[in-house]
Amino acid sequence: MDFRIEHDSMGEVKVPADKYWAAQTERSHENFLIGVGIETMPREITHAFGILKKAAALSNHELKPEKMTDEKLNAISQACDEVISGSLNDHFPLVVWQTGSGTQSNMNANEVIANRGNEIAGAKLLHPNDDINMSQSSNDTFPTAMHIAAVIALEDKVIPAVDVLIETFKHLETENEGIVKSGRTHLQDATPIKFSQEISGWRASLEKDKKMILSACEELKELALGGTAVGTGLNAPKGFAEKAAENISKLTGKKFITSPNKFHSLTSKDEIVFAHGALKALAADMMKTANDVRWLASGPRDGLGEIFIPENEPGSSIMPGKVNPTQCEQVTMVAVQVMGNDVAVGMAASQGNFELNVFMPVCAYNFLQSARLLAESIMSFNKNCAVGIKANKEKMHHNLYNSLMLVTALNPYIGYENAAKTAKKAFKDNISLKEACVELGFLTAERFDEVFHPEEMV
């Protein structure tokens, strides 16, 4: 491999000749051989760094034009656009398991943008620290990148996926209006429910989750940028924080503001914890919904069998003809992963010491994995399962009229205790509720028919 010599404050370093990174990135690349090529710093963070570095340059150009010249701004902006597009992803090799402040990933961005900018300018114009990192510190850029990446992931990926599934459930509610089935509580037979009502529970849960996620996004839109090393804003010009937030808003189309207290925003990750809590709530509701669907579809002969779901692939290497609820299973596995990630995010956020949290990379990694997994999982579940849910009306009708809990309708006429006796006799003797009620002398057959209407119990 061909190398070139780069240097930093510690001396010279050999760097692959075809890469835009420089000495500090290379040191990290050599010193943290942990999950290389597998647990790379999330590309959402790389993307966010491209946005914030361009915003910082724009702000510096306005506030310090003697240092951030037109020529420098032009070269930086073009290089940042390439970072934002993802075309320079191969030049961001660092892993999650590095310095807890994310300093090395910040320097990775600084070095790549500087070297690519110099190539664009055709001159040694830009310095990673003096120009790309102007008015900044790793301690305020990494938490800013986290918030930018989190908001984009939530608003542009998770929320649209949730909206798609909500619309599918709305369609299923309309399609199945009027179908009455047995309700279930404690995994036992309960009083009747309309299938559309059951679906509405799934839909309303997603709508609640959406509200919580959007609420969390408002807190994430407060940015640490401008706090520099410890929150005091050392070496950043007056107004930089506000200008940077404005420019980030313009670049993303989302309304970001500067954090009113940088001492908080550098050390506390409470907004990330809160937002991940909303993701955990979504995961919990998706777990519940997916489990409902696979229970209702269980069978085909020895289960509940009240719905049909799409048959996507063979389910067994030994049992011919078997088909499994695989989309439900991927949802439940994703939910478990998100719940586990929530523990990691919370633990990482609790480790702020004095003016900085040094667990930020693992915090960002888990948060962004949760957001990505949920968005993709929900879209897959919608496309390959939910849109194809069909009611098995005959089985629903059979189960409804076989349910002993229909006896609840008799409470006003024969009382709770007599209704309980009726249900127990029907079960013990394997006869209908009507037969049991008449044999016990609680109602005549004619009166039973007058008051017993399962479809009206919803």
Side-chain angles (χ1 to χ4, degrees):
M1 183 183 292
D2 292 331
F3 293 93
R4 70 178 189 277
I5 301 299
E6 291 275 0
H7 75 277
D8 58 14
S9 61
M10 296 181 69
E12 294 184 343
V13 180
K14 282 185 176 181
V15 176
D18 62 341
K19 302 301 181 185
Y20 289 126
W21 72 70
Q24 292 196 47
T25 302
E26 184 61 29
R27 291 188 194 279
S28 179
H29 193 37
E30 294 174 2
N31 292 337
F32 296 92
L33 300 177
I34 309 163
V36 175
I38 301 170
E39 288 158 340
T40 306
M41 185 64 66
R43 290 309 175 203
E44 296 93 335
I45 294 292
T46 304
H47 176 81
F49 264 115
I51 292 168
L52 80 86
K53 294 296 179 181
K54 183 173 182 177
L58 289 165
S59 303
N60 283 320
H61 180 257
E62 187 172 347
L63 298 170
K64 303 167 69 172
E66 72 285 357
K67 289 191 174 182
M68 182 57 67
T69 63
D70 289 346
E71 187 181 14
K72 287 183 177 182
L73 175 62
N74 181 60
I76 292 172
S77 294
Q78 288 187 56
C80 285
D81 287 341
E82 294 182 13
V83 173
I84 293 168
S85 74
S87 65
L88 298 183
N89 280 350
D90 287 346
H91 301 270
F92 289 84
L94 301 187
V95 295
V96 171
W97 318 108
Q98 53 163 282
T99 177
S101 61
T103 296
Q104 292 148 5
S105 283
N106 178 48
M107 283 308 304
N108 189 179
N110 291 334
E111 291 175 344
V112 168
I113 294 166
N115 281 330
R116 176 59 183 138
N118 288 335
E119 188 175 70
I120 291 168
K124 193 73 171 178
L125 179 69
L126 302 170
H127 186 279
N129 299 79
D130 295 336
D131 298 304
I132 316 303
N133 203 57
M134 186 187 297
S135 308
Q136 306 153 61
S137 162
S138 299
N139 297 352
D140 65 349
T141 60
F142 198 89
T144 297
M146 285 175 65
H147 279 211
I148 294 170
V151 170
I152 291 173
L154 296 179
E155 290 190 348
D156 295 357
K157 294 182 180 179
V158 177
I159 293 299
V162 170
D163 282 339
V164 167
L165 189 53
I166 287 172
E167 289 305 310
T168 294
F169 286 152
K170 285 181 179 178
H171 175 75
L172 288 173
E173 285 177 64
T174 301
E175 186 179 276
N176 292 285
E177 180 62 39
I179 300 174
V180 179
K181 62 185 289 292
S182 180
R184 294 180 177 86
T185 58
H186 303 269
L187 296 182
Q188 304 295 305
D189 303 342
T191 55
I193 186 173
K194 290 194 288 186
F195 186 36
S196 60
Q197 292 172 326
E198 192 165 47
I199 297 168
S200 78
W202 303 340
R203 185 253 309 156
S205 294
L206 292 178
E207 290 171 340
K208 283 282 189 182
D209 295 329
K210 176 181 175 180
K211 284 179 64 177
M212 289 186 283
I213 291 169
L214 290 175
S215 173
C217 283
E218 293 311 303
E219 301 300 325
L220 289 168
K221 288 175 180 175
E222 292 187 1
L223 301 179
L225 198 60
T228 65
V230 295
T232 61
L234 179 68
N235 290 346
K238 183 177 175 58
F240 174 80
E242 290 76 15
K243 288 290 182 186
E246 289 173 14
N247 284 315
I248 289 170
S249 298
K250 290 175 184 176
L251 291 170
T252 60
K254 303 178 187 301
K255 181 58 178 175
F256 287 95
I257 62 172
T258 188
S259 170
N261 189 310
K262 304 299 189 296
F263 307 104
H264 160 82
S265 55
L266 265 62
T267 191
S268 175
K269 303 299 117 194
D270 51 9
E271 300 96 340
I272 288 285
V273 173
F274 182 74
H276 199 277
L279 289 178
K280 183 172 69 170
L282 174 60
D285 283 331
M286 286 304 301
M287 172 77 84
K288 189 269 182 195
T289 298
N291 276 333
D292 281 359
V293 170
R294 64 173 171 173
W295 271 106
L296 291 172
S298 61
R301 291 187 173 176
D302 295 337
L304 296 179
E306 291 189 347
I307 64 172
F308 301 109
I309 59 175
E311 298 183 351
N312 297 323
E313 61 272 317
S316 174
S317 61
I318 189 173
M319 293 175 279
K322 195 172 191 295
V323 180
N324 297 329
T326 51
Q327 287 296 317
C328 297
E329 290 166 5
Q330 64 85 0
V331 169
T332 55
M333 286 192 290
V334 164
V336 167
Q337 183 66 55
V338 172
M339 292 173 190
N341 287 352
D342 193 69
V343 176
V345 168
M347 288 294 292
S350 74
Q351 297 303 304
N353 299 121
F354 303 111
E355 280 65 61
L356 186 66
N357 178 288
V358 291
F359 283 67
M360 286 191 287
V362 70
C363 195
Y365 177 73
N366 282 277
F367 184 96
L368 293 168
Q369 184 192 54
S370 292
R372 175 177 51 79
L373 286 177
L374 280 169
E376 294 177 2
S377 169
I378 290 169
M379 290 299 289
S380 178
F381 177 73
N382 180 77
K383 177 184 177 182
N384 298 305
C385 182
V387 296
I389 291 174
K390 300 292 181 185
N392 185 342
K393 298 178 184 179
E394 293 76 16
K395 190 63 179 289
M396 286 183 177
H397 185 272
H398 170 78
N399 288 347
L400 174 65
Y401 277 84
N402 232 20
S403 171
L404 297 176
M405 288 307 99
L406 297 178
V407 77
T408 307
L410 302 179
N411 286 358
Y413 306 99
I414 65 176
Y416 181 94
E417 292 192 8
N418 287 339
K421 291 177 182 177
T422 299
K424 290 180 181 295
K425 180 174 178 61
F427 182 65
K428 179 182 177 183
D429 297 347
N430 196 26
I431 58 177
S432 69
L433 288 172
K434 179 178 180 179
E435 290 170 318
C437 189
V438 172
E439 285 187 23
L440 290 169
F442 297 143
L443 290 174
T444 64
E446 294 75 19
R447 181 59 176 159
F448 184 94
D449 289 339
E450 288 177 12
V451 302
F452 189 76
H453 301 288
E455 286 80 4
E456 298 176 6
M457 295 174 67
V458 297

